[in-house]
Every structure is written in C-alpha cells, then in structure tokens.
Amino acid sequence: MFDVVALGEMLIDFTPVKSQGDNYLFSPNPGGAPANLLCSLAKFGKRAAFLGKVGDDQFGHLLRKTLEDNHVSTEGMVMSKQYQTTLTFVHLNEHGDRSFRFYRNQGADTMLEPKEVCYELIDRTKIFHFGSLTLTCNPARKATLSALEYAKKAGKIISYDPNLRLSLWDNKQLAKEMIQKGLDYANILKLSEEEAMFLTNCQDYMKAAQTLMERYHNLRIILVTLGANGSLALNRHNCVSLTAYPVKAVDTTAAGDSFFGGFLYQLLELGKPLDALQEEDLISCLSFGNATGSLTTTKKGSIYALPDLQEVKKLMNE
C-alpha cells in the first residue's frame, strides 16, 4: 500500500543561481507540483508513488532518478521516445517570489493517455492526488478525468491542487471550467488566495472558501495559503488560521506544494476520517504544513529545497 499516489506533471525548473552582468545563469532543478508534494511526503517517511509521463531524454532520466533517490515509486512513470520533457524557466523578484515561463508545446506530461495510467497504483493508495496542469489539454485531460473517476469509484480520498498557471490555458474561461471540473472530485482542496478569488469571483478569500464548501458537497477540507501571512483551514464545522513561521525566504518555488505535503503527512499521522477532524486536528495539520512550506523557501530550487522531518520539528519546537 501507498499513502499517496499523485498524477500530474514532472518537469525541469531552470532556476537562476547567479548573474554575469545582465545575464543570468540557470541551474536545472527537478520539479512539478505533484512530484514536489510526493517527495516532501517521502522525506517524512510516507510511501508515495508518481503517475505521469516524461521524455526518454536526459532530463526525463534525471527526473526518474530524482524520484528514486527520494524513495518515490516510479512504476507509474511513462518514458516517451516521441515527446520531450517539459522545461520551465523560473524568474525571481527581489522578495524571492517567482514567475514561470513554460516550454511545453506537446511536452511529454501533456501527452499522457488514459491507457498509460497505472490504475493498480490507485487501488493501492489511501490518498489520490492531482493538479490542474494535466487538465489543460488532451490526451492528458482525458487521462486525468479517467483516473479521477476510477479513484472516486474506489472510494479513495482525493486531494487537489489547482495550481493556476493561466499562460498554459487557451483562455480564462476554459481554465475556470476545467479547474471547476476537478472540484467535482476533490475531498481536500488547496488554494492560493489568487486561486480562491479566481474560482468564485469573491474578493475575500474567506468568503471564497466558504462559497466553495457550500457549492461542492464532496469537499471536506479547504486550505488557503496566504504566503508570508500563513494559511487557513476550513471544514464543515471549524475554521482555523495560523501565521507563517518567521524565516528568511530566498525562493518560494514549491512552498505551496511542500505545505500541502506537510498537511497531508500530519493528516495521515492522525489517522482519522475526514469528517471526524476537530479544531485541534486542523491546527496540528496546518502548523506542520506551515513549517514545511516556510523551510522550503529558505533554499533555492524545488525538490532539492524540501526539508526533512527533523528540520520541520526543530523549527516548530523553536
């Protein structure tokens, strides 16, 4: 059995490491939101597996090795000889906040077909996780929806990170339509403040979260990340918010992914049904997620920046 199986993109983040005059030098770092989350969980000792497609090229092999080095199962990873691994260039401002430029036209992650999904892995997991980037176009959209239908029928807990990247969609309307389609399956939802407002047209993230909870009856937990201001957790009976841990941020890449990984780790540790979670349980999970996300911002890169269990507990104790 696995604790979490995630379907989605895995790619190379080219992260700026230094500049020469007006030119930046970029370092290739393995990334992709679902893979970041899985590696975060695996570093905490949870059993994780990846479902997705990469190119049978030097970057694809680096990604596969990275998962294996981080003790994430790759039996559901498809290596494509026809399509290349997706690349992303990360740009950072003076506060460490990042923006992305994707090189993904027929990138391998978008070309995953329903028949290539290893449904057996879904049978063998407690939580099935997905994001919206494989919903941007077919055939990956069909593969994602097929996996979601399978996971729902199998009675799995389904977690969802929309991870809005408007530049990857044909238009805003399609983005909203397909991301909302994913909400039909989700039991646990993680949003940024921007994503919460985008999906509901509410200008207040609290009202946006409450609106989504009322609209989608399958939802049990909604998380809203607020950057340096911490995060919020909402279920049918409780709402809690916690401030972020004070750290010196240098790169916010993967902070949201590791936050979600930390939250799911503590949720798995509690071992309670979602409907049985009390206020103190939400606080426990949110605090661990905040610590994980905060520590990730103190290093550059994605997977390479993820903290281990000892680091997270040390920060929480301090």
Side-chain angles (χ1 to χ4, degrees), residues 57-77:
D57 50 35
Q58 67 183 87
F59 293 126
H61 287 281
L62 171 61
L63 295 177
R64 187 183 190 98
K65 184 177 185 302
T66 299
L67 289 181
E68 292 170 348
D69 288 347
N70 283 273
H71 308 291
V72 175
S73 171
T74 58
E75 59 184 289
M77 175 180 271

Side-chain angles (χ1 to χ4, degrees), residues 96-214:
D97 292 324
R98 75 280 187 272
S99 59
F100 300 91
R101 179 67 179 177
F102 289 85
Y103 290 80
R104 193 181 181 235
N105 187 13
Q106 289 198 322
D109 62 296
T110 70
M111 305 308 292
L112 180 71
E113 299 181 28
K115 65 182 180 182
E116 294 176 312
V117 175
C118 183
Y119 296 94
E120 181 192 355
L121 287 178
I122 300 176
D123 287 326
R124 294 159 53 196
T125 190
K126 298 174 184 176
I127 298 174
F128 177 70
H129 177 81
F130 75 109
S132 74
L133 265 63
T134 48
L135 292 172
T136 55
C137 58
N138 284 315
R141 180 185 299 161
K142 292 180 179 178
T144 304
L145 294 175
S146 175
L148 285 169
E149 285 287 348
Y150 190 91
K152 184 176 181 180
K153 289 178 181 177
K156 303 300 179 180
I157 295 173
I158 299 176
S159 62
Y160 183 26
D161 178 5
N163 199 24
L164 180 64
R165 299 285 181 264
L166 281 175
S167 63
L168 297 179
W169 296 87
D170 290 342
N171 55 68
K172 284 187 177 181
Q173 184 55 41
L174 178 62
K176 182 174 288 189
E177 177 185 333
M178 293 311 304
I179 290 174
Q180 289 175 336
K181 181 69 174 174
L183 289 173
D184 291 333
Y185 298 91
N187 306 124
I188 306 172
L189 172 67
K190 194 275 289 183
L191 299 166
S192 68
E193 188 174 358
E194 174 195 8
E195 290 159 352
M197 295 177 182
F198 173 78
L199 289 172
T200 61
N201 296 321
C202 297
Q203 295 307 304
D204 176 81
Y205 63 84
M206 174 70 79
K207 185 178 179 181
Q210 291 170 336
T211 298
L212 291 170
M213 186 68 81
E214 292 169 4

Side-chain angles (χ1 to χ4, degrees), residues 224-235:
V224 182
T225 56
L226 305 170
N229 293 320
S231 59
L232 168 87
L234 180 78
N235 69 5

